[in-house]
């Protein structure tokens, strides 16, 4: 099943700029950035590449864009630094790679992919991840590279306080968010990737759902591939990505039923806002969210679609 069908979905974070504050120009910028990432991932699939490579490529494009909270556009932590989390999972082998609280890597998802392929471990953190990365010659950027003015302004508002802020925190009327991609390749294999700068003003080495397998990211050929975005503390308690897979595997729900049940009922009941992108082995895609919007896009042989609200 799934052979020769290929499809990809991406997100640039749940909780968007409020519709009332979105300008035509900004909307065009977001749409263009999403389309570039979508096309980068789809090209890999179209040429017969793996879903793992496709999700990495799509996420790389989003990480390189200052509009999204990942890679270059990562938010500032309480110390004025950028600590990034990322994870990637192969639905065929159930192998996974993840990194947390890493700094200066241009593309944390590429590092996570290296962990998947070249390490016996799943999750590497901080300095250790840096040391692991040495032989791979990955691109390292200066702190200045990650300085994006609107992120700095976001941080200045709450710097020195005890509050931390989700990129799409209600008080801030939503800015941008974590990024992710899920894909089905021509070989019938699923993969999921998620990358984030986390929360503005986060401290004490706070890590969210994004690098945690089953929580913010999950892929299993038996069921689906999922990438989450939203309030990490709730997505963690809801074990949201795996929850969707379980609802399909144990309860026999369809992809769309499972994703909606998890996001619109269970996550909301816990008090969490956010959304997911999910794909199954037939190439069905579901992208529910329980907040104002979610930057998202999907592409298959039938065409592509990019949406915000
Ligand atoms: N889930 C991410 C985190 O809590 C944030 C986001 O999706 O915007 O780190």
């Amino acid at each position: 099943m799934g052979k020769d069908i290929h499809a990809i979905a991406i997100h640039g974070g749940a909780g968007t700029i409020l519709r009332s504050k979105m300008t035509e120009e900004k909307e065009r910028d977001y749409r263009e950035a999403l389309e570039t990432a979508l096309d980068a991932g789809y090209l890999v699939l179209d040429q017969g590449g793996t879903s793992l490579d496709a999700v990495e490529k799509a996420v790389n494009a989003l990480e390189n864009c200052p509009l999204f909270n990942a890679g270059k556009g990562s938010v500032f932590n309480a110390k004025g630094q950028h600590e990034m989390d990322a994870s990637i999972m192969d639905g065929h082998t159930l192998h996974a790679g993840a990194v947390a609280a890493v700094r200066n890597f241009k593309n944390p998802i590429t590092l996570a992919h290296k962990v998947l392929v070249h390490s016996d471990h799943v999750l590497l953190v901080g300095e250790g991840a840096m040391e692991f990365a040495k032989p791979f010659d990955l691109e390292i950027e200066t702190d200045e590279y990650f300085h994006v003015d609107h992120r700095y302004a976001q941080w200045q508002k709450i710097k020195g306080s005890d509050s931390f802020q989700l990129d799409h925190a209600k008080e801030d009327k939503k800015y941008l968010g974590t990024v992710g991609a899920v894909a089905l390749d021509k070989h019938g294999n699923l993969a999921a990737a998620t990358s984030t700068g986390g929360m503005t003003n986060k401290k004490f080495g706070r890590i969210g759902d994004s690098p945690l397998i089953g929580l913010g990211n999950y892929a299993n050929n038996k069921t689906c591939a999922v990438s989450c975005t939203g309030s990490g503390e709730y997505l963690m308690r809801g074990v949201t990505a795996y929850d969707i897979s379980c609802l399909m595997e144990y309860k026999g729900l369809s992809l769309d039923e499972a994703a909606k049940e998890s996001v619109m009922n269970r996550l909301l009941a816990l008090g969490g806002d956010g959304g997911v992108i999910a794909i199954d082995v037939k190439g069905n895609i579901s992208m529910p969210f329980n907040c104002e919007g979610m930057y998202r896009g999907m592409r298959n042989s039938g065409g592509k679609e990019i949406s915000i609200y």
Side-chain angles (χ1 to χ4, degrees):
M1 208 179 328
K3 295 270 187 281
D4 285 336
I5 303 173
H6 53 295
I8 184 165
I10 60 167
H11 71 78
T16 52
I17 296 177
L18 287 183
R19 207 189 277 263
S20 56
K21 294 209 172 154
M22 180 63 97
T23 62
E24 245 176 59
E25 197 192 346
K26 265 190 216 161
E27 182 160 348
R28 197 190 50 232
D29 290 348
Y30 282 113
R31 285 179 175 276
E32 272 175 21
L34 289 167
E35 189 168 2
T36 302
L38 198 56
D39 291 349
Y42 191 76
L43 184 69
V44 175
L45 299 172
D46 218 27
Q47 292 176 338
T50 67
S51 50
L52 271 178
D53 287 339
V55 292
E56 181 189 341
K57 278 286 165 303
V59 167
N60 282 164
L62 295 165
E63 286 175 334
N64 295 345
C65 172
L67 292 173
F68 305 105
N69 175 19
K72 179 162 176 59
S74 291
V75 295
F76 285 80
N77 70 11
K79 290 184 180 156
Q81 300 165 335
H82 307 275
E83 276 179 347
M84 300 169 286
D85 306 332
S87 66
I88 187 164
M89 184 161 184
D90 180 351
H92 177 50
T93 60
L94 302 188
H95 289 170
V99 292
V102 295
R103 298 185 49 204
N104 300 98
F105 285 99
K106 183 177 181 188
N107 296 113
I109 200 66
T110 299
L111 176 57
H113 199 169
K114 295 285 183 221
V115 175
L116 184 155
V117 177
H118 300 283
S119 151
D120 293 331
H121 306 300
V122 170
L123 173 61
L124 302 181
V125 61
E127 294 289 315
M130 197 88 184
E131 204 181 309
F132 164 82
K134 275 186 192 145
F136 303 112
D137 207 21
L138 299 179
E139 280 181 271
I140 300 291
E141 291 291 350
T142 60
D143 291 342
E144 288 70 51
Y145 168 84
F146 296 93
H147 183 108
V148 171
D149 285 344
H150 72 265
R151 294 289 181 216
Y152 188 71
Q154 261 179 310
W155 177 50
Q156 290 303 304
K157 280 196 216 156
I158 53 170
K159 182 183 167 187
S161 75
D162 270 341
S163 52
F164 48 86
Q165 195 166 58
L166 260 186
D167 220 12
H168 34 85
K170 291 188 182 72
E171 316 82 71
D172 203 26
K173 294 305 173 214
K174 323 270 183 191
Y175 282 119
L176 329 151
T178 292
V179 308
V182 292
L184 167 70
D185 63 31
K186 290 184 178 176
H187 319 285
N189 293 321
L190 296 173
T194 306
S195 181
T196 189
M199 294 167 120
T200 298
N201 211 37
K202 63 183 179 181
K203 29 182 173 175
F204 314 125
R206 183 266 182 189
I207 288 167
D209 59 300
S210 308
L212 302 176
I213 299 304
L215 285 64
N217 198 64
Y218 189 70
N220 187 335
N221 278 3
K222 261 198 212 170
T223 52
C224 58
V226 180
S227 170
C228 302
T229 171
S231 35
E233 276 63 15
Y234 296 92
L235 291 160
M236 288 159 93
R237 285 177 244 166
V239 196
T240 301
Y242 188 57
D243 189 46
I244 295 172
S245 172
C246 288
L247 286 169
M248 293 178 72
E249 186 174 358
Y250 305 145
K251 245 186 153 182
L253 299 194
S254 70
L255 179 83
D256 198 46
E257 288 167 346
K260 283 186 179 146
E261 166 62 21
S262 206
V263 173
M264 311 309 277
N265 295 331
R266 297 175 183 229
L267 184 61
L268 215 50
L270 284 173
D273 61 351
V276 305
I277 50 169
I279 187 168
D280 69 13
V281 279
K282 292 181 195 148
N284 295 311
I285 288 172
S286 178
M287 305 193 275
F289 53 95
N290 63 27
C291 46
E292 170 97 359
M294 179 169 80
Y295 298 108
R296 63 198 186 280
M298 52 91 56
R299 184 167 174 192
N300 58 23
S301 56
K304 61 181 146 186
E305 214 178 281
I306 287 165
S307 322
I308 300 178
Y309 299 100

